[in-house]
Amino acid sequence: MRRFLTATPLLAALLFAPAVHAADRDWPTFGLDYANTRLADLPGITPRSVKKLVPKWIYQSGIAATFQATPIVTGGKIYVSLPGSHVVALDARTGVELWRYTHSKRSEKLCCGPANRGVAVDDGRVFVATVDARLVALDAASGKPLWDIELARPDNAITESGAGIKGEVGGGSGVGAAAAPLVVDGKVIVGINGVGYGLHIDAQGRAGQLAAVVGIAGKYGGIGFLAAFDAKTGQRVWQFDTVRKPADGGWEGDFVERTGDGLPLNRNIAEERANADRHRDAWEYGGGSVWNAPAYDAKTGLLYFGTGNPSPQINDSTRPGDNLYTASLIAVDAKTGRYAWHWQQIPHDKWGYDVASPPVLFDHREPGGRVVPAVGQASKLGWFYVHDRATGALLYRSDAFVPQDNLFAAASREGTRITPGVAGGVNWSPAAVDGGRGLAFVAAMHLPMRYWIKESAATADRPAGRYDSMEPADEARWGVLAALDLKQRGRLRWSVKTDQPLIGGVLALKSGVVFTGEGNGHLSAFDSLSGKRLWHFQTGAGVNAPPIGYVLDGRPYVAVAAGGSAIWGYRQGDAVIVFGLPD
């Protein structure tokens, strides 16, 4: 096993010039392909041989912090976004650092910590969307910046300190970009997050515990968007705002009483309508963060992406209506950003049920044999939703893969128990789809929450008042890796319980192996058909990033970032670890 070395870009280019091999297979985009399938073809790594995997090299960045990146592999190099939106290029054979870009933040008002979920690489450029809401293009050969533009002002969202909330929480919400960009036809597609205002704190207790999410009524937050930028110049080409404005029909919608799949929302519609005129400007702070890279259908030219909760989070008293297009799956035209359709998973969301896991594209075969191009999304609610890709119509939802109780119940002064709560289900973790076997694989969690109505103490500039809080219930929590049978309308094929809630994502192999990481430091491999655990390796830090696979010189490799997650209380580290079969 080799640990990292450092070389100048020129010396590294001479010493480690990549050779082209017919069997080489890259990992060129966030989801491996435009469909976000995360299904890799790694000849040699099978259910029989996976137990032989050993570390081939370990790169340590020196930045021990929440690490969620998907490495990108192309041309014999690995490009990784580090915590804080720094970027490194590594030799994919050895782990030697070829260059490093050090990002200088323009603001310390970060939404959700330092995590960045990956870069995009295209036509000799590396693109990183930063935690302080910038988009930077780097030269892929040297790491030198080519252009650097502002996505949004980091302090644009009006924030709140949490003063008077009995010291339970603190901090504010700043605008940033955690999602990896996607390059389509010379345009860099990326969204922003941090606009769905809510107060959060890092876990201080046992591992796998999200400490609290708090909502305060008022004009806090901003408007999210997905936008396209010219890859050569950085010029903004189009922008789709994730809050529907009055001129486009308004964000209030139809004041629906049920979700699109028929579940009662327990809303006080009469009260919302009565308050609508008083809060007619609520859309200006509406929320709708974009947490992950979209999927793209090259045949139709449509992009598919999910949106986060409305603002303020958890507390809904100042935002009557359905709050469109928050907590939705949305399709837009990749050339123009023009709206195609949306399906709102949770109208008037007051539980923090962001549509955060990236959509994935595959074909749905109906009983009569007709094939329907579909888009699926692994939800915080604990279902995998499958839609017609052309219209957004719901085809079906899967069996529940986590326990469900009291969905869409209201907050109370006694603390209403809800599961899944604000954490999920499936949080931002990417799913994987094996179209040949007709299986979708999800990394999820069982983490019951209590939804409270509480009173804040009076401060010098604010009277005492109500706030809503969602906090972990004092009971057992665990993780779930599940396989869903897409040929049987999402029937649960198998489910594996893990010691801690799963946050990070899934890699599937065509040979029949599934990988996922755990907060306890294990990277594990499972049999795709049975769920039997076949192999695991202790990395020394939480594996809270999605694994990837690539082939170089005919040899298969599995790579993952092992750096943990502060918000979940998982041990932090600074490593990228690459595994392969013995020489």
Side-chain angles (χ1 to χ4, degrees):
M1 179 179 71
R2 295 182 292 270
R3 292 188 179 270
F4 81 95
L5 304 171
T6 303
T8 65
L10 177 59
L11 178 60
L14 294 174
L15 292 177
F16 307 107
V20 177
H21 193 284
D24 286 359
R25 291 182 174 89
D26 292 340
W27 189 284
T29 68
F30 173 77
L32 174 61
D33 45 40
Y34 279 145
N36 278 342
T37 62
R38 292 186 174 263
L39 178 69
D41 187 6
L42 302 185
I45 301 179
T46 68
R48 291 176 63 90
S49 68
V50 69
K51 63 184 178 183
K52 299 179 182 179
L53 284 179
V54 294
K56 306 302 283 187
W57 53 260
I58 298 175
Y59 167 81
Q60 293 178 287
S61 71
I63 303 173
T66 301
F67 204 178
Q68 298 175 346
T70 289
I72 298 298
V73 183
T74 181
K77 298 179 182 178
I78 298 181
Y79 301 91
V80 186
S81 57
L82 305 178
S85 303
H86 314 298
V87 180
V88 292
L90 311 176
D91 185 279
R93 294 173 176 82
T94 65
V96 167
E97 183 180 297
L98 305 177
W99 54 254
R100 177 182 291 224
Y101 162 74
T102 300
H103 183 66
S104 297
K105 298 192 299 293
R106 274 94 168 157
S107 172
E108 294 301 323
K109 293 182 178 180
L110 305 182
C111 157
C112 309
N116 183 278
R117 291 178 184 153
V119 301
V121 181
D122 183 75
D123 194 25
R125 298 176 179 86
V126 179
F127 304 95
V128 58
T130 72
V131 291
D132 58 335
R134 304 192 71 79
L135 181 61
V136 182
L138 308 172
D139 182 270
S142 66
K144 294 181 179 179
L146 300 174
W147 49 259
D148 178 343
I149 60 107
E150 187 176 74
L151 293 171
R153 291 189 179 277
D155 55 354
N156 252 5
I158 299 175
T159 61
E160 173 65 45
S161 69
I165 307 181
K166 301 178 183 178
E168 295 170 357
V169 296
S173 182
V175 177
L182 180 71
V183 180
V184 174
D185 294 333
K187 293 185 287 294
V188 187
I189 314 294
V190 71
I192 62 168
N193 57 260
V195 294
Y197 173 77
L199 293 171
H200 303 249
I201 62 171
D202 291 346
Q204 301 297 324
R206 66 184 190 264
Q209 176 170 309
L210 181 70
V213 179
V214 171
I216 305 172
K219 297 179 178 181
Y220 311 124
I223 295 177
F225 62 77
L226 187 78
F229 301 84
D230 185 282
K232 292 183 178 180
T233 66
Q235 182 178 357
R236 194 175 302 238
V237 178
W238 55 256
Q239 178 172 311
F240 178 86
D241 289 342
T242 57
V243 169
R244 192 169 75 173
K245 299 176 181 178
D248 298 319
W251 89 318
E252 293 84 1
D254 298 322
F255 291 84
V256 298
E257 296 184 355
R258 292 178 177 270
T259 64
D261 49 336
L263 302 174
L265 286 164
N266 300 312
R267 293 170 63 178
N268 189 334
I269 299 295
E271 183 177 278
E272 286 183 44
R273 289 189 181 277
N275 290 335
D277 191 59
R278 190 182 352 157
H279 299 295
R280 64 173 59 189
D281 63 345
W283 65 271
E284 297 179 27
Y285 315 92
S289 294
V290 176
W291 292 110
N292 256 313
Y296 172 61
D297 185 340
K299 291 184 179 179
T300 64
L302 292 181
L303 292 163
Y304 304 88
F305 66 102
T307 58
N309 56 263
S311 179
Q313 187 177 16
I314 306 297
N315 186 301
D316 69 324
S317 59
T318 55
R319 49 174 175 82
D322 299 341
N323 309 150
L324 296 170
Y325 300 107
T326 64
S328 298
L329 182 65
I330 302 176
V332 299
D333 185 274
K335 291 183 179 179
T336 64
R338 185 175 297 116
Y339 167 90
W341 57 258
H342 81 278
W343 198 86
Q344 192 170 33
Q345 219 170 79
I346 311 95
H348 193 74
D349 173 33
K350 55 182 178 178
W351 305 273
Y353 289 139
D354 308 72
V355 180
S357 179
V360 58
L361 309 183
F362 55 92
D363 287 336
H364 164 67
R365 188 175 297 274
E366 295 188 332
R370 186 172 77 97
V371 174
V372 180
V375 52
Q377 200 275 328
S379 75
K380 279 191 173 183
L381 294 169
W383 288 299
F384 187 75
Y385 288 92
V386 178
H387 301 263
D388 185 306
R389 210 183 300 172
T391 66
L394 182 66
L395 299 174
Y396 64 87
R397 73 178 191 211
S398 72
D399 288 348
F401 45 79
V402 293
Q404 295 170 320
D405 186 41
N406 255 356
L407 286 178
F408 309 126
S412 68
R413 298 188 183 279
E414 299 75 30
T416 304
R417 181 187 184 275
I418 296 175
T419 188
V422 64
V426 174
N427 200 278
W428 64 268
S429 307
V433 167
D434 183 337
R437 291 179 176 81
L439 295 174
F441 305 99
V442 296
M445 64 185 76
H446 172 62
L447 205 168
M449 308 291 285
R450 289 200 175 274
Y451 193 11
W452 298 87
I453 296 173
K454 295 190 174 185
E455 295 293 329
S456 62
T459 66
D461 55 359
R462 191 175 64 191
R466 166 183 166 168
Y467 69 95
D468 293 352
S469 176
M470 196 172 285
E471 304 166 13
D474 187 18
E475 57 183 277
R477 72 281 313 268
W478 58 79
V480 174
L481 178 67
L484 305 168
D485 192 332
L486 301 178
K487 297 178 181 179
Q488 299 294 324
R489 299 178 68 82
R491 183 174 298 170
L492 187 64
R493 172 73 72 88
W494 55 257
S495 177
V496 174
K497 183 178 177 180
T498 61
D499 290 340
Q500 296 171 353
L502 292 182
I503 187 80
V506 185
L507 164 68
L509 303 188
K510 289 184 178 180
S511 63
V513 181
V514 177
F515 291 87
T516 196
E518 301 175 56
N520 60 15
H522 282 140
L523 176 67
S524 299
F526 301 81
D527 185 280
S528 292
L529 295 179
S530 68
K532 179 182 177 182
R533 193 186 296 253
L534 303 171
W535 168 90
H536 70 269
F537 182 88
Q538 176 55 251
T539 68
V543 183
N544 304 120
I548 64 136
Y550 65 98
V551 179
L552 197 54
D553 306 324
R555 297 176 180 177
Y557 298 96
V558 172
V560 73
S565 178
I567 198 170
W568 297 97
Y570 292 139
R571 183 187 302 170
Q572 295 177 79
D574 68 345
V576 175
I577 307 177
V578 172
F579 300 87
L581 298 172
D583 294 334

